[in-house]
Amino acid sequence: MGKIVIEPLSRLEGHGKVTITLDENGNPKDVKLHITALRGFEQFVVGRPAEEVPRIVPRICGICQTPHHLASVKAVDNAWDVEIPEPAKKLRELMNIGNIIHSHALHFYFLAAPDFVLGVDADPKIRNVIGVIDKAPEVAKQAIELRKFGQKIVEMIGGKAIHPVTGIPGGQAKRLTEEERDELLKDIDRMIEYAKNGVELIKKLNEQYMDLIKTLGVIDTWYLGLVKDGKHNVYDGTLRFLSPDGKEKVEFKPNEYLDYIGEHVVSYNYVKHPFYKKVGYPEGIYRVGPLSMLNVCNSMETDLAEEYRKEFFDIFGFPANQSLAYHHARLIELVKACEKAKILLEDNDITSDDIKAEVEPKAGNGVGVVYAPRGVLIHNYETDENGIVVKANMIVASTHNVPTMEKAIQQAAKEIFK
């Protein structure tokens, strides 16, 4: 027996490694995905006034800071029984959409595209974003423009592009001015076109790599996503599980998540393995993120994205279980994000100054759920009578996916070793 260790994993948001244990014939006997970084934020926030926590937790992730900020402030609102004004909800949703535009463009064009645009056999020295810029400069330019636009939305609404601060218990601390709204609107149609170009690009790449897409990382799992009235939503709504065969849907409120989601401890990871409780572990492991969101929703909220969603399932079948189809799903979500941003920017509520409700700190238990670019994000805080956090639980989007990522790597390793 021998071992192959891939460390560090590159083009990854975080720290990890893969260990492949070989049998006496040199074939994979066991494959493990190790997440090697300990974050500890569930303990960092204990003892803090709850209103401070939304400004602490964005440091969990350098890419998904905005959803952490929003899930956190939603959890505090929920714990203190606060109903925020409708314009504040729309501002928060638009802020989250800005992060999704930035992050989806980053994830595909910077982390995934080097393998597809340059080819899986290209020299690793050039298989990176610089290689993409050299080979497809117009594609790279549009990716940079999309990221810049998304960050501009977050900065205008959230006060800062990287670690937003304006989400406060009861609503928002800053309104969007008419001038800021108009500045964003003048670029939005161009961003929609760039996002559409991304979908057309991935369709061409799919044709080129379909043999790999239908071979590597193809696994049957449960799926978890966020829907509102059955439609794809990134800020509000209910959680929905979908069975591996697509026949069973189980919907529940964010506050009920502990009745449906369990966390299994493994010895070789700093993260736990979440699973659907009613099925058990490991049969109940599930995926989140763009692939899962398209699988669980009945439809998209916007017209063009809905056309792309239907086309997606014509290509991959329903439910889509190919891990490499995540890229196509992600770019459809990018189109939807740009379309929805335009809808919100054209809504008069978006520049309203009715953005803050009265708040009284108190004892309570609250759950905040939003859709982060990697998938469903859950924050849960318990506060005492002074509004101090006494207990916290967070299930980060990538954490949901860890056991299924490992399963996909196991399947891919067997295929590659053949």
Side-chain angles (χ1 to χ4, degrees):
M1 290 173 63
K3 244 180 205 179
I4 296 171
V5 179
I6 305 169
E7 184 183 22
L9 296 179
S10 60
R11 283 193 259 132
L12 178 77
E13 298 168 22
H15 302 278
K17 71 176 182 178
V18 170
T19 303
I20 304 172
T21 303
L22 306 176
D23 63 20
E24 57 275 7
N25 298 315
N27 294 314
K29 182 180 179 183
D30 191 25
V31 181
K32 290 285 190 288
L33 170 64
H34 310 269
I35 305 302
T36 57
L38 176 64
R39 290 174 179 177
F41 276 80
E42 290 172 331
Q43 289 303 307
F44 295 161
V45 302
V46 171
R48 299 273 190 169
E51 63 267 25
E52 288 184 5
V53 177
R55 298 192 296 275
I56 296 170
V57 294
R59 273 73 182 175
I60 290 172
C61 179
I63 304 290
C64 300
Q65 347 81 5
T66 304
H68 280 290
H69 179 60
L70 294 173
S72 179
V73 75
K74 282 184 75 176
V76 180
D77 288 339
N78 188 234
W80 294 350
D81 298 320
V82 181
E83 184 62 38
I84 73 170
E86 198 62 27
K89 284 184 185 177
K90 291 175 181 177
L91 277 175
R92 288 183 183 179
E93 181 177 7
L94 183 58
M95 193 199 312
N96 201 36
I97 285 169
N99 179 255
I100 286 170
I101 293 170
H102 142 72
S103 183
H104 277 8
L106 167 76
H107 192 118
F108 178 70
Y109 292 104
F110 288 65
L111 303 183
D115 291 330
F116 291 95
V117 173
L118 295 155
V120 294
D121 296 322
D123 186 338
K125 290 178 183 174
I126 65 164
R127 198 155 24 105
N128 50 46
V129 69
I130 304 301
V132 173
I133 291 169
D134 288 341
K135 186 162 183 180
E138 191 57 34
V139 168
K141 179 184 174 185
Q142 291 183 15
I144 292 167
E145 288 277 332
L146 281 161
R147 288 194 62 207
K148 180 181 177 182
F149 180 77
Q151 289 293 78
K152 184 187 282 189
I153 291 175
V154 175
E155 185 171 14
M156 282 183 175
I157 299 173
K160 297 167 71 179
I162 300 300
H163 294 123
V165 294
T166 58
I168 55 174
Q172 286 288 113
K174 175 186 180 297
R175 67 182 282 261
L176 187 70
T177 67
E178 287 82 356
E179 292 77 17
E180 290 170 329
R181 185 264 317 275
D182 293 344
E183 186 178 340
L184 293 170
L185 271 175
K186 71 178 171 51
D187 291 328
I188 190 61
D189 287 331
R190 188 158 47 91
M191 295 305 117
I192 293 172
E193 286 303 310
Y194 288 171
K196 286 165 58 179
N197 292 345
V199 175
E200 296 307 317
L201 171 63
I202 194 64
K203 287 196 292 191
K204 290 177 185 174
L205 293 170
N206 284 345
E207 292 174 7
Q208 188 178 346
Y209 292 105
M210 192 53 77
D211 286 347
L212 286 178
I213 294 169
K214 289 186 174 181
T215 305
L216 298 181
V218 180
I219 56 172
D220 288 326
T221 67
W222 285 77
Y223 303 93
L224 177 67
L226 188 65
V227 294
K228 189 171 185 179
D229 300 323
K231 293 185 177 182
H232 180 288
N233 195 280
V234 303
Y235 178 76
D236 216 353
T238 53
L239 292 163
R240 178 186 281 181
F241 271 121
L242 179 74
S243 62
D245 61 7
K247 294 179 180 178
E248 183 182 351
K249 291 177 181 176
V250 181
E251 208 155 318
F252 56 100
K253 296 175 182 176
N255 281 54
E256 300 171 326
Y257 83 99
L258 287 174
D259 295 331
Y260 293 85
I261 297 173
E263 296 182 81
H264 178 77
V265 176
V266 293
S267 61
Y268 52 90
N269 256 334
Y270 277 123
V271 299
K272 290 168 278 190
H273 281 195
F275 63 96
Y276 176 31
K277 274 185 176 179
K278 303 206 172 167
V279 175
Y281 182 85
E283 292 80 9
I285 62 174
Y286 57 87
R287 287 189 263 193
V288 298
L291 182 75
S292 187
M293 286 285 281
L294 263 63
N295 279 333
V296 305
C297 74
N298 298 342
S299 63
M300 306 299 282
E301 288 183 296
T302 59
D303 295 339
L304 185 56
E306 174 59 8
E307 288 177 28
Y308 283 139
R309 185 191 72 91
K310 291 175 180 175
E311 185 181 44
F312 176 84
F313 290 117
D314 288 340
I315 296 169
F316 297 107
F318 176 81
N321 65 354
Q322 304 88 350
S323 295
L324 289 174
Y326 260 96
H327 303 309
H328 193 152
R330 182 169 285 109
L331 291 168
I332 292 171
E333 284 194 335
L334 181 57
V335 171
K336 185 251 175 168
C338 292
E339 287 186 288
K340 188 64 186 289
K342 183 177 181 179
I343 291 168
L344 287 168
L345 287 166
E346 290 177 339
D347 186 328
N348 289 333
D349 269 358
I350 210 68
T351 55
S352 169
D353 57 7
D354 179 22
I355 56 173
K356 177 73 169 66
E358 290 298 317
V359 175
E360 189 68 40
K362 65 174 190 174
N365 192 311
V367 178
V369 172
V370 299
Y371 175 61
R374 304 304 156 256
V376 170
L377 172 64
I378 301 171
H379 280 240
N380 180 193
Y381 311 139
E382 185 179 333
T383 60
D384 66 14
E385 65 278 5
N386 296 313
I388 304 298
V389 176
V390 294
K391 187 177 180 181
N393 186 44
M394 306 168 197
I395 308 181
V396 177
S398 296
T399 298
H400 293 286
N401 270 337
V402 166
T404 44
M405 283 193 286
E406 182 174 83
K407 185 176 180 179
I409 294 168
Q410 289 167 352
Q411 188 273 347
K414 289 175 183 174
E415 288 296 320
I416 290 169
F417 271 77
K418 282 180 186 175

